[in-house]
């Protein structure tokens, strides 16, 4: 994931949590908000201590970023979003995680329509 496509500021996270919309399934929660200066989009990933130790949390963050990187062309532009990893996602394989992630992004309306 490119550095310019990452959310890092506390203010950005707070703005999205406070004013954004959210959708969830059993593995992920996505909060999102329109941001017209972010091109194409910016991503933040959150994994709490509830899901495991630092090794597990960092692995889940890397997997989520990789899934988003592989599907970047499908995500609508000018968007800031945060993905929160839930505990059931920890034991899943990469293909299952990707299917679940695309499901939640589609449910939130964050994927481009196929042509």
């Amino acid at each position: 994931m490119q550095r310019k496509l990452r959310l890092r500021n506390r203010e950005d996270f707070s703005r999205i949590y406070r004013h954004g919309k959210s959708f969830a399934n059993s593995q992920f929660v996505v909060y999102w908000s329109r941001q017209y200066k972010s091109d194409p989009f910016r991503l933040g990933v959150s994994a709490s201590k509830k899901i495991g130790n630092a090794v597990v949390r960092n692995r889940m963050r890397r997997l989520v970023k990789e899934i988003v990187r592989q599907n970047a062309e499908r995500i609508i532009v000018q968007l800031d979003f945060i993905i929160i990893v839930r505990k059931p996602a920890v034991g899943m394989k990469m293909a299952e995680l990707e299917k679940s992630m695309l499901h939640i992004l589609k449910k939130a309306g964050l994927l481009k329509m196929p042509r």
Side-chain angles (χ1 to χ4, degrees):
M1 183 113 248
Q2 296 175 9
R3 194 172 186 89
K4 67 179 182 174
L5 300 180
R6 285 188 254 163
L7 283 174
R8 292 185 304 276
N9 296 340
R10 183 181 179 94
E11 296 84 34
D12 289 334
F13 275 83
S14 296
R15 175 183 51 81
I16 295 168
Y17 284 135
R18 206 170 327 118
H19 301 295
K21 296 185 174 95
S22 68
F23 289 89
N25 63 12
S26 60
Q27 292 84 23
F28 300 105
V29 180
V30 62
Y31 283 87
W32 65 276
S33 158
R34 282 291 202 189
Q35 184 66 15
Y36 295 103
K37 61 184 175 187
S38 63
D39 188 39
F41 60 84
R42 293 189 301 171
L43 167 70
V45 181
S46 176
S48 86
K49 287 186 176 182
K50 292 178 187 175
I51 69 167
N53 62 16
V55 174
V56 173
R57 295 193 308 268
N58 288 328
R59 180 175 183 277
M60 293 309 298
R61 281 194 283 265
R62 284 194 310 271
L63 290 175
V64 167
K65 288 177 190 175
E66 180 62 16
I67 291 168
V68 171
R69 187 189 68 78
Q70 289 176 350
N71 294 286
E73 72 282 348
R74 298 179 63 188
I75 298 172
I76 62 174
V77 296
Q78 296 181 331
L79 181 74
D80 285 350
F81 64 104
I82 300 168
I83 296 175
I84 300 172
V85 181
R86 288 182 165 173
K87 190 151 181 79
V90 173
M92 295 173 69
K93 302 228 182 294
M94 182 69 165
E96 296 169 328
L97 286 172
E98 184 171 12
K99 183 178 177 185
S100 178
M101 174 85 64
L102 292 175
H103 171 261
I104 194 67
L105 292 176
K106 183 178 179 184
K107 186 175 166 184
L110 304 180
L111 293 180
K112 294 177 184 173
M113 292 294 163
R115 294 182 185 193

